[in-house]
Amino acid sequence: MKKFLKWFSILAVAGTAIGLVIAYFCKSSADTGDGDGSEFTEDEDFDLDADLKPASDRDYVSLNKNGEDGSDNEE
């Protein structure tokens, strides 16, 4: 039983070391790139404040289940 625990712990330590080395190389290869980071940015021409209507021009949706507009899908 002691031999089994000894070999199991040696294999666990070796596997952990190998996993850490692989993770290190995968992370360092993922960090390399062209460096401009433009693929993760949003369009610069999008401006939410400019797209919003003034509060006096907005229409709001009624939250009543039986609305007055007759758009219920019951037939």
Side-chain angles (χ1 to χ4, degrees):
M1 186 70 167
K2 286 185 179 184
K3 282 186 177 182
F4 174 73
L5 290 177
K6 181 180 176 180
W7 282 106
F8 181 75
S9 62
I10 290 172
L11 287 176
V13 169
T16 302
I18 291 171
L20 287 173
V21 169
I22 291 172
Y24 175 76
F25 283 118
C26 288
K27 182 176 187 225
S28 62
S29 67
D31 288 341
T32 59
D34 51 336
D36 63 355
S38 64
E39 64 271 1
F40 297 113
T41 59
E42 294 183 16
D43 295 331
E44 293 180 8
D45 61 340
F46 178 74
D47 186 16
L48 183 60
D49 293 332
D51 294 339
L52 289 176
K53 295 180 182 178
S56 60
D57 295 341
R58 293 185 202 157
D59 293 328
Y60 292 98
V61 178
S62 174
L63 297 178
N64 296 333
K65 187 172 183 177
N66 296 325
E68 296 176 3
D69 59 355
S71 63
D72 295 342
N73 291 331
E74 297 177 17
E75 292 181 9

